[in-house]
Amino acid sequence: MSNFIGIRHEDKYKLERRAPLTPSHVCRLVKQKKLDIIVQSSEKRVFTDDEYIQAGATIAKDLKKCSVIFGVKEIPESFFEPEKTYVFFAHVVKGQPYNMKMLKRMMELRCNLIEYERIVDEQGKRLIFFGRYAGMAGMINSLWALGLRLKEYGYSSNLVKLKPANQYHSLKEAKNDVSAIGQLIAENGIPHELRPFVIGFTGYGNVSQGAQEICGLLPVKEISPDKLLALHRRKKLPDNLVYK
């Protein structure tokens, strides 16, 4: 089997533009480690094919020559080939039922799986994980989607002024829009039918911290989960607060 390393084109989501290795990573691997890298051509990837060519990689329509293939998200069952090694977020370590069919196919083909979630240090702490920016993007998208949902149910909301995270040219631009909506909430309040307006956070890691950073641009009051029922029973609530 060949020793080519492949970088696959992401296809789980239509708007997925991420890559597991950047052109600068590829350049280091080619120059310092003398590795041969093939990049599956992509018109939507955040890095262009030309950038990978300049870094020393070869562009191809498929990765048939590669024995080790890197990706980001889950891979379609039809993509796997016998006895090859795949490195990606497989989301199977917790026994996620929606990915068991994919894992079974890999086992049938005697593939090796290197799961990012199980790359850990001596203390068992993960070395590869989604970070603060994932939380920020997720929170921006959640607020935008909520605005659309409220509109569908007949509620007028300033959240419809937001855009999906991928349509912002910078984090500053996105934060400015969320802050502006926070100012409108503080000045004009939230419709009675939508109060109390509660956003729940269940984690304390990098993703949660990023999401909370965006949420903090709204007029927020933090409460503990055990206060939720009491909050709901209160007859009079401030109309210009988001509860976190």
Side-chain angles (χ1 to χ4, degrees):
M1 185 175 290
S2 69
N3 291 317
F4 287 103
I5 293 174
I7 298 175
R8 76 178 300 266
H9 161 77
E10 296 297 316
D11 53 10
K12 181 169 183 179
Y13 303 117
K14 185 176 181 180
L15 296 177
E16 180 61 79
R17 302 181 66 206
R18 290 176 294 177
L21 294 172
T22 69
S24 62
H25 293 148
V26 169
C27 185
R28 287 166 54 192
L29 291 172
V30 171
K31 290 184 177 180
Q32 297 179 17
K33 304 298 182 180
K34 309 301 181 185
L35 296 176
D36 294 311
I37 297 181
I38 297 177
V39 178
Q40 189 176 16
S41 183
S42 173
E43 293 182 357
K44 67 177 182 177
R45 189 186 287 120
V46 68
F47 304 108
T48 65
D49 288 355
D50 284 341
E51 288 179 278
Y52 282 107
I53 291 172
Q54 293 297 319
T58 300
I59 303 298
K61 290 184 178 180
D62 60 58
L63 303 176
K64 298 291 184 183
K65 293 183 179 180
C66 301
S67 57
V68 178
I69 296 171
F70 282 81
V72 178
K73 296 296 292 181
E74 293 99 322
I75 297 175
E77 296 162 42
S78 59
F79 185 87
F80 298 111
E81 296 182 82
E83 300 184 357
K84 289 191 175 184
T85 296
Y86 297 88
V87 191
F88 64 108
F89 278 114
H91 299 300
V92 295
V93 296
K94 297 174 184 176
Q96 291 95 320
Y98 53 88
N99 283 332
M100 289 300 102
K101 193 175 179 182
M102 176 191 71
L103 181 61
K104 183 179 180 181
R105 182 57 179 162
M106 295 186 75
M107 294 171 69
E108 290 172 349
L109 295 174
R110 299 179 61 84
C111 298
N112 294 313
L113 168 62
I114 299 178
E115 160 66 271
Y116 291 134
E117 290 186 63
R118 297 308 305 144
I119 298 177
V120 299
D121 63 14
E122 292 81 0
Q123 286 75 44
K125 293 182 179 180
R126 288 175 59 180
L127 298 175
I128 301 176
F129 43 79
F130 289 111
R132 171 170 157 263
Y133 289 105
M136 288 180 168
M139 192 70 213
I140 292 166
N141 283 347
S142 295
L143 293 173
W144 164 73
L146 178 60
L148 295 181
R149 185 183 179 98
L150 291 174
K151 182 180 179 181
E152 185 69 20
Y153 281 98
Y155 293 103
S156 177
S157 164
N158 288 309
L159 294 175
V160 296
K161 297 177 180 178
L162 288 175
K163 297 183 289 188
N166 69 296
Q167 292 185 17
Y168 284 105
H169 297 292
S170 68
L171 178 58
K172 181 179 179 181
E173 181 187 353
K175 281 187 169 184
N176 286 343
D177 274 7
V178 178
S179 295
I181 290 170
Q183 187 64 34
L184 290 172
I185 292 174
E187 294 174 355
N188 304 323
I190 297 170
H192 175 77
E193 298 87 349
L194 302 179
R195 302 200 304 265
F197 194 100
V198 182
I199 301 175
F201 293 92
T202 59
Y204 300 94
N206 293 303
V207 175
S208 180
Q209 290 175 28
Q212 292 184 57
E213 185 173 334
I214 296 299
C215 181
L217 300 174
L218 305 175
V220 166
K221 180 176 181 180
E222 187 168 339
I223 61 171
S224 57
D226 61 323
K227 300 286 176 57
L228 278 176
L229 288 178
L231 186 69
H232 187 69
R233 287 194 292 263
R234 287 175 60 182
K235 293 183 179 180
K236 191 171 182 180
L237 288 167
D239 64 0
N240 61 349
L241 282 181
V242 173
Y243 291 93
K244 166 187 162 187

